[in-house]
């Protein structure tokens, strides 16, 4: 699992969908470090985030030395890259990883709430803590750029998350999932581990569809 904190949040999904006796999940993530092979000016520190580039190169080197079956990678779509940087920077990263894995699954950056979810739930009823995706339209645009890069790499595949996190373009701080009330967001953008763990079937269906496509080629 490669990514920033938005990529890292999907760890409970992987643990829920993979048999622990058959799989070993390795997590290589760094906060605010995009999975895009481009220099990144980080506003919070007021300079290029060189530590991110160094870490990303070392993560790639680790994969080269420890070939894996699947790579799952993801990051937020809020980074200030141009369309060309999103597509080409992602493409370069996929190219570097593809020779060392059977398949790469790029996880869509999930939609965000227009407010802090837990704060709203403390003050209001759950049905009042609902908003349209605050990330629209930027996140769908970035998803398009990433999919353009994926199309150029036969081993790369897309994992959609929007319809699961915010069905019908409605994001809720808390939702009824699998028979129980579940807090969805732990702030305005990060998802809770309990909610993410319920997404295993959503991921597995998409992976099975991709594997069927490969066998039909």
């Amino acid at each position: 699992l490669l990514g920033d904190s938005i990529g890292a949040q999907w760890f409970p999904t992987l643990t829920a969908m993979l048999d622990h006796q058959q799989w070993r999940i390795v997590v290589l993530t760094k906060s605010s470090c995009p999975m895009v092979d481009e220099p990144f000016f980080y506003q919070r520190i007021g300079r290029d985030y060189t530590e991110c580039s160094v870490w990303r190169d070392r993560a790639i080197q680790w994969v080269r030395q420890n070939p894996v079956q699947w790579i799952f990678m993801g990051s937020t779509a809020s980074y200030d890259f141009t369309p060309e940087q999103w597509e080409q920077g992602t493409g370069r990263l996929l190219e570097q990883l593809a020779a060392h894995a059977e398949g790469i699954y790029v996880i869509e950056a999930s939609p965000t709430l227009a407010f802090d979810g837990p704060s709203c739930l403390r003050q209001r009823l759950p049905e009042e803590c609902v908003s349209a995706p605050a990330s629209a339209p930027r996140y769908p645009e970035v998803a398009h750029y990433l999919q353009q890069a994926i199309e150029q790499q036969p081993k790369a595949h897309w994992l959609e998350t929007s319809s699961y996190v915010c069905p019908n373009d409605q994001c809720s701080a808390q939702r009824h999932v699998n028979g129980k009330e579940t807090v969805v967001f732990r702030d305005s953008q990060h998802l809770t581990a309990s909610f993410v763990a319920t997404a295993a079937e959503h991921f597995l269906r998409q992976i099975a569809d991709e594997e069927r496509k490969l066998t039909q080629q």
Side-chain angles (χ1 to χ4, degrees):
L1 177 61
L2 296 175
D4 59 7
S5 62
I6 295 297
Q9 72 182 359
W10 296 103
F11 176 68
T13 310
L14 302 189
T15 61
M17 66 187 242
L18 299 173
D19 185 338
H20 298 187
Q21 295 183 343
Q22 297 184 25
W23 293 88
R24 175 177 173 234
I25 304 171
V26 178
V27 181
L28 300 176
T29 59
K30 185 172 180 62
S31 177
S32 300
C33 187
M35 292 298 95
V36 180
D37 184 20
E38 289 283 347
F40 169 49
F41 184 87
Y42 191 11
Q43 294 285 354
R44 186 176 296 179
I45 61 177
R47 60 173 172 81
D48 282 352
Y49 193 8
T50 54
E51 295 90 342
C52 171
S53 298
V54 170
W55 173 86
R56 193 168 50 234
D57 289 344
R58 289 178 177 173
I60 294 169
Q61 185 62 32
W62 186 93
V63 173
R64 286 173 174 162
Q65 296 172 350
N66 301 271
V68 298
Q69 186 163 350
W70 286 348
I71 294 174
F72 294 86
M73 60 179 255
S75 49
T76 182
S78 61
Y79 298 110
D80 192 22
F81 293 130
T82 66
E84 292 76 16
Q85 287 175 314
W86 276 113
E87 182 177 341
Q88 296 172 16
T90 301
R92 284 192 296 271
L93 185 59
L94 293 175
E95 182 72 20
Q96 294 176 77
L97 294 170
H100 309 283
E102 292 183 19
I104 305 171
Y105 287 89
V106 180
I107 306 171
E108 179 187 20
S110 49
T112 61
L113 271 175
F115 48 83
D116 181 83
S119 295
C120 183
L121 291 173
R122 284 193 295 268
Q123 300 168 23
R124 301 182 180 183
L125 295 173
E127 53 267 30
E128 297 178 295
C129 297
V130 177
S131 78
S135 46
R138 179 175 178 81
Y139 277 39
E141 292 174 354
V142 171
H144 172 72
Y145 308 144
L146 298 184
Q147 288 171 309
Q148 291 288 100
I150 289 169
E151 288 177 3
Q152 305 304 313
Q153 176 47 250
K155 285 188 176 181
H157 313 281
W158 182 246
L159 281 178
E160 181 271 337
T161 67
S162 296
S163 68
Y164 194 80
V165 177
C166 296
N168 302 314
D169 284 332
Q170 180 172 280
C171 301
S172 303
Q174 180 174 307
R175 210 168 79 219
H176 198 67
V177 184
N178 295 342
K180 62 184 293 188
E181 287 299 318
T182 305
V183 176
V184 178
F185 288 87
R186 57 183 172 89
D187 50 26
S188 64
Q189 59 173 334
H190 296 90
L191 305 171
T192 64
S194 55
F195 173 73
V196 166
T198 69
E201 287 300 319
H202 185 69
F203 274 34
L204 285 170
R205 280 195 298 270
Q206 294 181 75
I207 292 170
D209 288 343
E210 290 298 316
E211 291 182 342
R212 274 195 295 271
K213 291 177 186 176
L214 290 174
T215 59
Q216 294 170 359
Q217 291 179 356

